[in-house]
Amino acid sequence: MRVLSRAWRYGIAIISCGFALALAIPLDIPSSCFFLAVIVSALYGGKGPGVLSVLLSSLAFDYFFLPPKYNLWIQPSSYPRFAVFLGSVLLIMVVIEAKRRAEEARGQIDAKYRQISADALAEARKSETRLRLIIDTIPVPAWSSRADGATDFVNQRWLDYTGNTAEEALGWGWKVVSHPDDLASNAEYWRAVLAAPDGDRELEGRLRRFDGTYRWLLFKVCPLRDESGKVIQFYGTCIDIDDRKKAADALRASELKFRLIVHSIPGLVATMTPKGDLELVNQPVQDHTGLTFDALKDWWATSLVPEDELPRVAAEWKRSAETGRELTWSTICAARTERTAGSTCAAFRCATTWEWWSAGIACSPTSKIASAPRKPFDPANSSSAWWSTASRR
């Protein structure tokens, strides 16, 4: 195949020169005809056929048109004419060859550029596919919107969570899945983001899941700015916090129930940290002492325990903390209300490594209440500052 192609190209040179000679003899314009033959041979045949056409044209020009005709010998007077002709055809061949090489080089550059462009496009598509896969694999619904707030992208998690199609989710499709009671707050939140997109923003709201149930989600939005600081895009995520929110509500309800129970106990109840700081007192304690919770935090400095009783009480409390033993003691408490003024307070305390539990009732000096410690007490976790201060009084 390659041999046939080369033979065809050289055949073009021979045929072109033959046609040029056939036209040049009757028209008597050899230069123009042979110039045309060289141009055709060099353009369509290449360098080799172009050189062959130059050689054939020169021989035909000398043999048929320079005196003496029909002889390859050239008279000296014809040297300039032959030199001009030969120089012209050689120049034509060189120019065409240079043009052909330039076109081939440009073709190679174009082919290389097309290949590079195709590779870059394939890599970009590959990267885009990989990025889309990463975004769709994020374990939370994610989305983006234009600067005007209209959604222009949602990941697969969003579609799976809401059960909507991509067409339904774009634009303002989030309103369809918002809880009717939260729609106004969600819209107001979004207007605030668009008006002042200064940093991350959060909002809790309910969205309809694919099964028709509404669940609480945490919405987080962050703006993307260009070099001039103008917002060009918003990106956001939605985290399902329904279980956590229900657990927190249940915990608050349980804590409220516990507080109601503690405040309803007809006795004096208090809890303290391992360092001896007051954490909680029930309402009877405040009613009995006439002091607020903040005032009771420094109970040893409130004159509730008489001066002569304070060293003994502090010493017994310190000994109980160091040994981890239960403490049951009875002392006179200076109650601040008329109903309990001058009454005797019998109290007990359970020590644990986590907190102090104490309880007491207003009763006669002989009343005692016992309670077993829940866990062994660790004195290293406790502070003796308050009872050492009380002991010095």
Side-chain angles (χ1 to χ4, degrees):
M1 189 69 181
R2 188 175 180 181
V3 174
L4 292 176
S5 175
R6 179 175 295 181
W8 168 249
R9 288 190 292 110
Y10 280 95
I12 291 176
I14 296 173
I15 294 172
S16 298
C17 290
F19 274 108
L21 180 61
L23 291 174
I25 291 176
L27 298 177
D28 195 23
I29 49 173
S31 298
S32 301
C33 293
F34 289 125
F35 287 168
L36 182 61
V38 171
I39 292 174
V40 171
S41 300
L43 279 177
Y44 296 99
K47 182 178 180 181
V51 173
L52 178 61
S53 67
V54 169
L55 178 60
L56 294 177
S57 298
S58 300
L59 291 175
F61 184 76
D62 174 32
Y63 188 80
F64 290 100
F65 297 99
L66 293 180
K69 291 184 178 182
Y70 311 115
N71 195 322
L72 294 178
W73 177 71
I74 304 175
Q75 292 181 355
S77 60
S78 299
Y79 285 169
R81 185 181 177 187
F82 182 77
V84 171
F85 175 81
L86 182 61
S88 299
V89 294
L90 286 175
L91 179 61
I92 291 173
M93 196 273 295
V94 170
V95 170
I96 293 176
E97 179 64 17
K99 179 178 180 297
R100 188 181 63 81
R101 287 183 175 275
E103 289 179 350
E104 288 181 354
R106 185 174 62 184
Q108 293 177 355
I109 293 174
D110 290 343
K112 186 176 182 179
Y113 175 77
R114 286 193 295 270
Q115 184 62 39
I116 293 175
S117 300
D119 294 342
L121 182 60
E123 187 65 26
R125 289 176 177 173
K126 183 178 178 181
S127 300
E128 181 181 358
T129 302
R130 183 171 179 270
L131 179 61
R132 181 62 185 249
L133 180 62
I134 292 174
I135 295 175
D136 287 337
T137 309
I138 294 175
V140 294
W143 50 270
S144 69
S145 69
R146 301 192 300 266
D148 61 358
T151 303
D152 59 1
F153 169 80
V154 291
N155 68 346
Q156 189 61 41
R157 294 282 182 174
W158 172 278
L159 301 178
D160 294 341
Y161 190 89
T162 61
N164 286 359
T165 64
E167 292 75 13
E168 293 171 337
L170 298 180
W172 304 96
W174 58 268
K175 293 184 177 181
V176 178
V177 295
S178 292
H179 194 283
D181 294 341
D182 298 339
L183 186 58
S185 60
N186 291 346
E188 180 61 30
Y189 160 78
W190 195 225
R191 283 193 293 269
V193 171
L194 297 178
D198 49 353
D200 296 348
R201 289 178 176 267
E202 296 183 359
L203 174 72
E204 293 182 2
R206 287 166 289 184
L207 285 185
R208 188 186 64 208
R209 202 169 58 175
F210 62 90
D211 56 1
T213 61
Y214 286 94
R215 294 178 63 86
W216 284 95
L217 283 86
L218 176 65
F219 304 100
K220 301 189 70 174
V221 181
C222 183
L224 174 66
R225 302 176 184 271
D226 59 14
E227 296 179 354
S228 64
K230 181 182 178 181
V231 175
I232 57 176
Q233 198 82 7
F234 287 97
Y235 294 95
T237 57
C238 308
I239 303 174
D240 192 319
I241 59 171
D242 194 76
D243 295 335
R244 185 178 70 184
K245 192 172 183 66
K246 289 179 179 178
D249 292 341
L251 181 61
R252 284 193 293 269
S254 177
E255 181 180 356
L256 178 60
K257 182 178 180 181
F258 169 75
R259 288 183 176 273
L260 290 175
I261 293 174
V262 171
H263 286 304
S264 300
I265 294 175
L268 312 182
V269 179
T271 63
M272 296 182 181
T273 65
K275 294 183 179 181
D277 297 328
L278 193 64
E279 280 188 324
L280 178 142
V281 294
N282 66 347
Q283 191 61 40
V285 172
Q286 299 183 52
D287 294 341
H288 181 80
T289 61
L291 299 175
T292 63
F293 174 78
D294 292 334
L296 287 169
K297 287 183 179 179
D298 296 331
W299 62 269
W300 49 269
T302 58
S303 301
L304 290 176
V305 179
E307 290 285 344
D308 56 345
E309 291 287 326
L310 189 57
R312 178 179 65 83
V313 172
E316 291 181 4
W317 201 320
K318 179 179 180 181
R319 183 167 56 253
S320 177
E322 292 172 348
T323 60
R325 294 180 180 179
E326 174 189 334
L327 170 65
T328 302
W329 50 273
S330 180
T331 185
I332 299 295
C333 294
R336 297 299 182 87
T337 63
E338 293 182 358
R339 181 174 58 83
T340 57
S343 63
T344 302
C345 179
F348 73 89
R349 180 169 62 91
C350 298
T352 74
T353 56
W354 298 101
E355 60 184 2
W356 302 95
W357 287 81
S358 65
I361 57 173
C363 57
S364 66
T366 59
S367 298
K368 292 182 180 180
I369 303 174
S371 177
R374 296 186 298 179
K375 296 174 69 175
F377 178 70
D378 183 4
N381 291 331
S382 181
S383 171
S384 60
W386 63 273
W387 62 58
S388 61
T389 305
S391 300
R392 292 196 298 269
R393 289 176 60 105

